[in-house]
Amino acid sequence: MTAHPDDHLHHHHDAVAKRLKRAEGHLRSILLMMENGRSCLDLAQQLHAVEKAISQAKKVLIQDHIDHCLEDAVGEVTAENRQTIDEFKAITKYL
């Protein structure tokens, strides 16, 4: 059975897409900054902002996957298992 593309769309996918589109636009502006001879400090600051935005998008995507796919596969969870899943979600910030 082949998965339909909509089978993998979750609540936060729109938010992730918006973050990535903003990062994409920001990255384009950094390229223009480079062409205009902006300082390395300015460029590094802006690249850091893009990197953080992409990292945050990844975190939201992974946590959304845990919320929807992992829990759907496991089924209803006990309070003890809920704590384990919550800890797993919390550790994803270190990815």
Side-chain angles (χ1 to χ4, degrees):
M1 175 182 213
T2 304
H4 188 274
D6 290 339
D7 292 345
H8 294 285
L9 292 178
H10 301 297
H11 181 264
H12 291 99
H13 280 197
D14 286 341
V16 171
K18 286 178 186 176
R19 286 175 191 270
L20 293 175
K21 287 176 184 178
R22 276 195 304 267
E24 177 184 36
H26 202 133
L27 193 53
R28 282 195 199 113
S29 72
I30 294 169
L31 290 169
L32 289 174
M33 289 172 64
M34 290 179 78
E35 291 173 9
N36 293 328
R38 295 285 294 268
S39 76
C40 289
L41 178 59
D42 288 344
L43 294 170
Q45 288 171 334
Q46 296 306 312
L47 285 168
H48 180 73
V50 170
E51 183 179 43
K52 296 283 272 181
I54 291 171
S55 178
Q56 184 62 26
K58 179 178 74 170
K59 179 181 173 184
V60 170
L61 180 74
I62 290 169
Q63 290 186 343
D64 191 59
H65 180 76
I66 292 168
D67 285 341
H68 293 91
C69 296
L70 181 63
E71 290 185 21
D72 285 349
V74 172
E76 193 170 329
V77 295
T78 65
E80 182 179 320
N81 289 344
R82 163 64 42 214
Q83 180 181 356
T84 301
I85 289 173
D86 289 344
E87 288 174 3
F88 185 73
K89 284 173 57 177
I91 204 169
T92 63
K93 72 180 180 181
Y94 299 108
L95 290 175

